[in-house]
Amino acid sequence: MTMNRRIPSFHFAYVTNFNDNSISVIDTRTRKVKATIKTGRGPFEIAVTPDGKHAVVINKTDNTAQVIQRSTNKIISTIPVGKSPSDVGTSPKYVYVTNAADNTVSVLCIKKRKVIQTLKVGKRPIGVTVTPQKIGQRTLGFVSNHDSNTISIFNAKCNKIIDTIPAGVGPDQIAFTQNSRLAYVTTNNNVLVIGTRSRRILSKIKVGSTPVGVAITPNDRFAYVGNEGDNTVSVIMLKKNKVIATVPVGKKPGIVAITQNGKFAYVANFGENTVSVIRVRDNKVIDTIKVGNAASGLAIIPL
């Protein structure tokens, strides 16, 4: 598909370039940068809405969220959020932004293009992710409170906090299995496996140094973890919750995203302005894509 069609391509990866105030748009079929989108100051993280129509980038320096129309790759709205926004997650109805300096989560409505609610959570909230499937009758959101060592759980229908659970030391990013039964959470020392129904830590997995990003393949077979401290990606086999491969990548790898077909893992290397492409079938780096300065966030349209 071409960039100017009304139906957005499912093959784009969006990379936020923190120091360039821009987003690099990569066509995952050719692994080439096809467009650059100018943003506010300090674009840090990005997410694509489940319907594929919009991407939402958060600008850490500006304290804003910007909505991108994916059919045109144009910014259509700039929305003030809290202080030091750190992550963005989406559900079919809402967008959630963690505000690390405010200890809050801003709830955005894309249609209204404004914040409609603010949730009070723990200290220095970083990651926010919503379950792909309902847990019982509810879709749940998890917020990692880095300095409280907890996760705040909210009901994504009414946007109310319903529980707070322990989550190791320094919880950061969160990924759910496709069936939503398990959450994988990076911490300062390891990756936690948390049952979404029991809300308990079921397992702890030792990975590389300073794990940050985590992404799970669509078939729920593997999790890919970006280890900022040792420039590697740990590959976890979910069936055994065991690391089966360690892949050297670029400097300071952080956020990871998996292509829709489950064949490739994309890794944003914050320390060298590149994205590493890992082939899932043999865990080899098959390409390194040059992007903007300080590649911090990365998103590929979800299933």
Side-chain angles (χ1 to χ4, degrees), residues 32 56 77 103 130 159 268 275:
K32 303 291 184 183
V56 181
S77 184
N103 303 331
V130 176
N159 295 319
V275 171

Side-chain angles (χ1 to χ4, degrees), residues 45-94:
E45 292 285 5
I46 190 166
V48 179
T49 55
D51 62 9
K53 293 181 179 179
H54 301 95
V56 181
V57 58
I58 53 168
N59 301 308
K60 203 173 188 68
T61 308
D62 273 353
N63 300 326
T64 61
Q66 291 181 301
V67 181
I68 299 164
Q69 187 83 43
R70 291 194 62 248
S71 58
T72 60
N73 279 327
K74 301 290 186 182
I75 291 174
I76 60 172
S77 184
T78 299
I79 305 168
V81 290
K83 294 179 181 177
S84 192
S86 293
D87 198 14
V88 55
T90 61
S91 74
K93 289 188 177 181
Y94 304 107

Side-chain angles (χ1 to χ4, degrees), residues 52-259:
K53 293 181 179 179
H54 301 95
V56 181
V57 58
I58 53 168
N59 301 308
K60 203 173 188 68
T61 308
D62 273 353
N63 300 326
T64 61
Q66 291 181 301
V67 181
I68 299 164
Q69 187 83 43
R70 291 194 62 248
S71 58
T72 60
N73 279 327
K74 301 290 186 182
I75 291 174
I76 60 172
S77 184
T78 299
I79 305 168
V81 290
K83 294 179 181 177
S84 192
S86 293
D87 198 14
V88 55
T90 61
S91 74
K93 289 188 177 181
Y94 304 107
V95 173
Y96 301 92
V97 177
T98 53
N99 305 305
D102 282 349
N103 303 331
T104 62
V105 174
S106 297
V107 184
L108 282 63
C109 176
I110 292 286
K111 287 184 178 180
K112 296 181 179 180
R113 299 185 188 180
K114 67 178 184 179
V115 174
I116 60 168
Q117 200 170 342
T118 302
L119 309 180
K120 189 70 175 175
V121 291
K123 294 180 181 178
R124 199 178 158 215
I126 302 293
V128 56
T129 310
V130 176
T131 56
Q133 307 292 331
K134 288 185 177 180
I135 307 301
Q137 299 299 313
R138 297 182 292 191
T139 300
L140 301 180
F142 277 33
V143 178
S144 58
N145 303 307
H146 187 277
D147 292 358
S148 294
N149 301 325
T150 61
I151 286 176
S152 297
I153 301 175
F154 62 89
N155 183 333
K157 182 178 181 180
C158 60
N159 295 319
K160 290 185 178 180
I161 302 294
I162 60 173
D163 204 356
T164 302
I165 62 174
V169 178
D172 197 318
Q173 295 295 306
I174 305 160
F176 292 105
T177 53
Q178 290 299 318
N179 59 19
S180 299
R181 293 177 182 174
L182 300 173
Y184 284 71
V185 183
T186 57
T187 71
N188 285 358
N189 307 310
N190 50 34
V191 173
L192 304 181
V193 185
I194 297 176
T196 50
R197 285 184 180 270
S198 67
R199 301 176 192 168
R200 294 180 180 179
I201 296 171
L202 305 178
S203 184
K204 298 179 182 180
I205 306 167
K206 185 65 177 176
V207 290
S209 174
T210 319
V212 178
V214 56
I216 295 174
T217 55
N219 59 10
D220 281 349
R221 291 188 66 191
F222 304 106
Y224 284 73
V225 179
N227 302 307
E228 187 178 83
D230 61 13
N231 304 330
T232 65
V233 169
S234 296
V235 184
I236 300 170
M237 178 185 287
L238 269 58
K239 188 175 181 179
K240 297 182 178 181
N241 281 330
K242 180 180 179 181
V243 173
I244 60 164
T246 300
V247 185
V249 289
K251 294 179 181 178
K252 291 191 174 182
I255 302 303
V256 185
I258 311 292
T259 55

